[in-house]
Amino acid sequence: MKLKDDDKPYRPNDKSSRVVPMGIMFIVLCGFSFYLGGIFCSEKNSFVTEEVVKSVESPKKTVSTPIQVKSVSFSQCSADLQDYTPCTDPKRWNKYGRHRLTFMERHCPPAFDRKECLVPPPDGYKEPIRWPKSKNECWYRNVPYDWINKQKSNQHWLRKEGEKFYFPGGGTMFPNGVSAYVDLMQNLIPGMKDGTVRTAIDTGCGVASWGGDLLDRGILTISLAPRDNHEAQVQFALERGIPAILGIISTQRLPFPSNSFDMAHCSRCLIPWAEFGGIYLLEVNRILRPGGFWVLSGPPVNYENRWRGWNTTVEDQKSDYDKLTELLTSMCFKLYNKKDDIAVWQKSSDNNCYKKLDTPDNYPPKCDDGTEPDSGWYTPLRPCVVVPDPKKSKLSLKSIAKWPERLHVAPERVSDVRGGSDGAFKHDDSKWKSRVKHYKKLLPALGTNKIRNVMDMNTVYGGFAAALIEDPLWVMNVVSSYAPNTLPVVFDRGLVGTFQDWCEAFSTYPRTYDLLHVDGLFTTESHRCEMKHVLLEMDRILRPNGYAIIRESSYFVDAIATIAKGMKWGCHKESTEYDIETEKVLICQKKLWYSKQSS
């Protein structure tokens, strides 16, 4: 190889020497590939054509041919699983940490450990007592636990007489009965009397006597307590016909959006509000509406007169009260009223107050813009203040319509939902009035005292619950954690609900709902959740002789009915109110049966 004057490599006659061999190679390769194509391409083209035809035809089959499921029969779970709560199972607590009671939070079993059996009722189970009588009594055999009766007998939470438990309305902080306690509270908060206060949450609810008393006063309360081995507080509440859910403020946010409740209550619930940087109280602040009330009775309120009965010192209780007051003030709460054992603070609805949170080194700080305020499903608690959106002028308690007017007023937050508008809200409201009217023809028990505890398993705006508002029932409105977040709209209407992923178990005991309503859940969630697991969970939480209204596309209805039959349900298929072929309604009833092991 020689170098030219410009020092670049140069190969003499390089181009001409390669032209002939390359040309020959090109001709040979083309001929060879043509020969191979003749052998294989005809079969390949046939395969591709067949797949294209299939892909074109499959949508037609999906619409016209319902999914087929082989008949199935589920075995009975063992008798010791009669109160099985999969995601809050005491048998699995030792797998999780004790710090801040983490073990009591939701910890669902892995897929391979999922039970595929029917949870039996207790031996001697009876159909629950009807509302409103149930508020004051229930069958002992339905919730066969004596622990509270024995440990709290002097406080009159409940008492056992013969085959029944009776609920006299006592409590740790209301020795004169819950009604006298709430009367005093109403004197401190006049808004509880005129429809200003509609939704409430009771943390550490006991047997939910407070929430039960408020129902008669037009205030709808979610009673919250953790699962434990003995007390079965939430089970008692739901057996009485009072809204309740298993839960605890620990390391995760509660399953509610921000600015939801008009009032929050703690009656000696033993939550250390001022500890861990006040993180529990910061969560109450998040879910409480601007202008809403936080009510505390018990330590350290009225410590001057009560400290001797709390096994502490007056100095310690004064210190706790001062810390609590300082924390609340830094979060823009003001002491609203106080008398005897009850203290009431009000969350500020003045956004100017929150500007001081921007001050460097201020505690607690304002949550940054990256913190989604409405995220409430497996979202860690953060030590910061969720500040109300200053653009939402109708979010505060003084601005939102009073009950019952607020039920049918399009909330301001409907515009936050994709595709949401006043018109969409009103259309949904009207649609559900028509649907519920039709449901009552298909299921005459709906609207009577045979149905008290109701769950709308995948609501949008709470229209189903709103259409039933005059009936003697209450509705837990559930919004899928994977669906558009419409739960703020539900709360703004004066209804209650929670987030849920239906690939997991719901936070309640077995046999706690009289009616489950489903609208297109299997259509929207079948790509994530196996159908039989959702139906088995429905069977777990449905009371014996309870009902399910399953509104689904025709594609799923027959398969659902087949699985339901294997769960000992009786179902019949009905037309919708518009009698269209692409959508049907299943009316199902769960049969009462007893475990073979207990018979």
Side-chain angles (χ1 to χ4, degrees):
M1 183 173 67
K2 298 180 179 179
L3 293 179
K4 294 180 66 177
D5 293 338
D6 57 2
D7 291 333
K8 292 182 181 179
Y10 172 71
R11 292 180 177 86
N13 301 320
D14 185 62
K15 182 175 180 180
S16 60
S17 65
R18 293 191 177 186
V19 170
V20 174
M22 288 181 65
I24 294 171
M25 183 64 70
F26 179 76
I27 293 170
V28 171
L29 287 174
C30 284
F32 188 63
S33 63
F34 180 78
Y35 172 73
L36 290 175
I39 296 175
F40 295 110
C41 286
S42 59
E43 293 185 11
K44 183 179 178 183
N45 288 340
S46 173
F47 176 75
V48 171
T49 302
E50 185 179 344
E51 286 299 302
V52 170
V53 170
K54 284 184 178 180
S55 67
V56 170
E57 289 179 350
S58 60
K60 294 181 181 178
K61 290 182 180 179
T62 301
V63 173
S64 61
T65 306
I67 187 173
Q68 299 296 316
V69 173
K70 293 181 180 179
S71 60
V72 62
S73 179
F74 296 98
S75 62
Q76 298 175 16
C77 301
S78 60
D80 64 343
L81 292 177
Q82 66 183 31
D83 287 324
Y84 181 50
T85 54
C87 296
T88 50
D89 185 0
K91 293 179 181 178
R92 301 176 69 243
W93 282 353
N94 59 4
K95 298 177 182 288
Y96 307 103
R98 315 295 292 185
H99 177 64
R100 284 168 48 184
L101 302 180
T102 304
F103 65 96
M104 284 188 168
E105 291 187 300
R106 284 180 61 90
H107 301 286
C108 299
F112 65 83
D113 198 25
R114 193 188 292 249
K115 309 290 184 191
E116 293 189 7
C117 54
L118 306 178
V119 176
D123 186 26
Y125 179 88
K126 296 183 180 181
E127 205 168 292
I129 294 169
R130 305 296 183 198
W131 181 266
K133 194 176 179 181
S134 65
K135 189 173 81 169
N136 299 317
E137 59 185 72
C138 76
W139 296 113
Y140 165 72
R141 283 296 177 186
N142 289 12
V143 193
Y145 300 108
D146 254 347
W147 190 88
I148 296 179
N149 180 45
K150 293 176 180 177
Q151 296 295 320
K152 304 284 186 179
S153 58
N154 63 321
Q155 297 173 11
H156 308 293
W157 285 28
L158 71 160
R159 69 175 186 272
K160 184 177 181 292
E161 291 184 8
E163 295 186 338
K164 291 182 178 179
F165 277 126
Y166 291 89
F167 302 90
T172 309
M173 296 310 301
F174 27 95
N176 298 320
V178 67
S179 292
Y181 176 80
V182 177
D183 285 343
L184 175 58
M185 194 177 298
Q186 280 190 330
N187 291 333
L188 299 177
I189 310 173
M192 291 176 65
K193 300 178 182 179
D194 64 2
T196 300
V197 174
R198 164 60 182 173
T199 59
I201 183 169
D202 188 13
T203 52
C205 64
V207 294
S209 292
W210 186 74
D213 186 85
L214 288 176
L215 286 171
D216 295 333
R217 306 174 193 242
I219 297 175
L220 189 58
T221 304
I222 288 184
S223 295
L224 182 80
R227 169 74 200 251
D228 71 33
N229 279 321
H230 307 289
E231 296 182 25
Q233 298 171 90
V234 165
Q235 194 172 17
F236 275 117
L238 289 160
E239 189 68 20
R240 299 175 68 185
I242 300 170
I245 192 171
L246 285 168
I248 185 173
I249 310 178
S250 177
T251 66
Q252 306 285 329
R253 283 180 174 180
L254 295 176
F256 313 115
S258 65
N259 309 306
S260 297
F261 294 96
D262 305 332
M263 179 166 60
H265 172 255
C266 164
S267 173
R268 201 175 186 187
C269 59
L270 304 181
I271 297 175
W273 296 111
E275 293 182 20
F276 308 110
I279 200 164
Y280 304 139
L281 199 52
L282 286 165
E283 175 62 357
V284 170
N285 168 77
R286 183 186 71 86
I287 63 175
L288 195 62
R289 187 179 302 280
F293 301 99
W294 184 58
V295 182
L296 178 65
S297 64
V301 175
N302 199 15
Y303 68 87
E304 303 94 330
N305 301 313
R306 289 282 192 176
W307 65 271
R308 291 181 182 84
W310 294 339
N311 298 319
T312 183
T313 66
V314 66
E315 291 80 14
D316 286 344
Q317 287 300 306
K318 182 180 185 305
S319 174
D320 288 347
Y321 186 78
D322 290 343
K323 290 177 183 177
L324 183 64
T325 301
E326 181 182 359
L327 178 62
L328 285 161
T329 301
S330 69
M331 294 164 53
C332 295
F333 280 74
K334 290 183 179 180
L335 185 63
Y336 183 82
N337 222 330
K338 182 181 176 184
K339 187 175 182 181
D340 298 334
D341 294 325
I342 302 176
V344 181
W345 283 269
Q346 186 175 31
K347 178 179 175 178
S348 178
S349 55
D350 180 7
N351 283 295
N352 290 324
C353 175
Y354 297 106
K355 292 180 180 179
K356 67 182 182 182
L357 301 180
D358 292 325
T359 306
D361 300 325
N362 182 77
Y363 189 87
K366 183 166 64 175
C367 291
D368 58 55
D369 294 338
T371 305
E372 170 53 54
D374 289 338
S375 178
W377 190 248
Y378 293 122
T379 304
L381 291 182
R382 292 186 59 190
C384 57
V385 179
V386 173
V387 175
D389 186 351
K391 298 177 183 177
K392 296 290 186 291
S393 59
K394 298 179 182 178
L395 193 61
S396 70
L397 195 58
K398 67 180 180 181
S399 302
I400 200 166
K402 293 183 179 181
W403 182 261
E405 289 79 12
R406 68 194 272 188
L407 181 64
H408 298 294
V409 175
E412 186 179 25
R413 289 196 279 186
V414 74
S415 61
D416 294 339
V417 180
R418 185 175 180 180
S421 64
D422 289 7
F425 175 86
K426 291 176 182 177
H427 172 73
D428 185 81
D429 206 27
S430 175
K431 175 183 72 177
W432 281 107
K433 288 177 183 177
S434 176
R435 288 185 173 187
V436 166
K437 185 177 180 180
H438 182 64
Y439 288 167
K440 288 183 175 180
K441 293 178 183 177
L442 302 179
L443 182 59
L446 184 58
T448 72
N449 67 354
K450 291 183 179 179
I451 294 176
R452 172 62 186 171
N453 301 347
V454 178
M455 180 186 292
D456 191 3
M457 292 177 61
N458 59 326
T459 192
V460 179
Y461 297 136
F464 175 72
L468 291 166
I469 201 66
E470 298 298 329
D471 295 326
L473 54 79
W474 63 273
V475 179
M476 179 67 75
N477 293 280
V478 178
V479 171
S480 169
S481 58
Y482 283 81
N485 183 17
T486 57
L487 199 51
V489 176
V490 172
F491 275 96
D492 288 349
R493 300 186 72 174
L495 304 171
V496 294
T498 182
F499 294 118
Q500 169 66 20
D501 177 0
W502 283 114
C503 296
E504 301 179 356
F506 191 79
S507 295
T508 191
Y509 284 87
R511 304 173 302 280
T512 45
Y513 284 86
D514 299 301
L515 173 66
L516 302 176
H517 174 253
V518 174
D519 177 25
L521 177 67
F522 296 96
T523 298
T524 56
E525 301 280 326
S526 61
H527 66 290
R528 295 194 313 106
C529 312
E530 194 170 344
M531 190 184 306
K532 69 175 178 181
H533 292 149
V534 178
L535 286 164
L536 283 168
E537 175 61 6
M538 291 172 65
D539 180 80
R540 185 185 73 86
I541 66 181
L542 191 61
R543 284 172 167 173
N545 293 328
Y547 302 94
I549 300 176
I550 303 174
R551 188 186 188 102
E552 267 297 344
S553 68
S554 301
Y555 182 70
F556 286 102
V557 166
D558 291 338
I560 294 169
T562 299
I563 298 173
K565 185 178 180 181
M567 300 191 306
K568 305 179 183 180
W569 289 16
C571 299
H572 54 91
K573 183 165 61 174
E574 302 286 351
S575 297
T576 65
E577 61 279 1
Y578 299 117
D579 194 18
I580 55 176
E581 283 302 313
T582 55
E583 188 179 44
K584 295 295 179 181
V585 177
L586 273 181
I587 304 295
C588 301
Q589 185 173 26
K590 175 182 174 179
K591 296 177 182 177
L592 172 59
W593 54 271
Y594 295 98
S595 172
K596 295 176 183 177
Q597 301 168 46
S598 62
S599 59

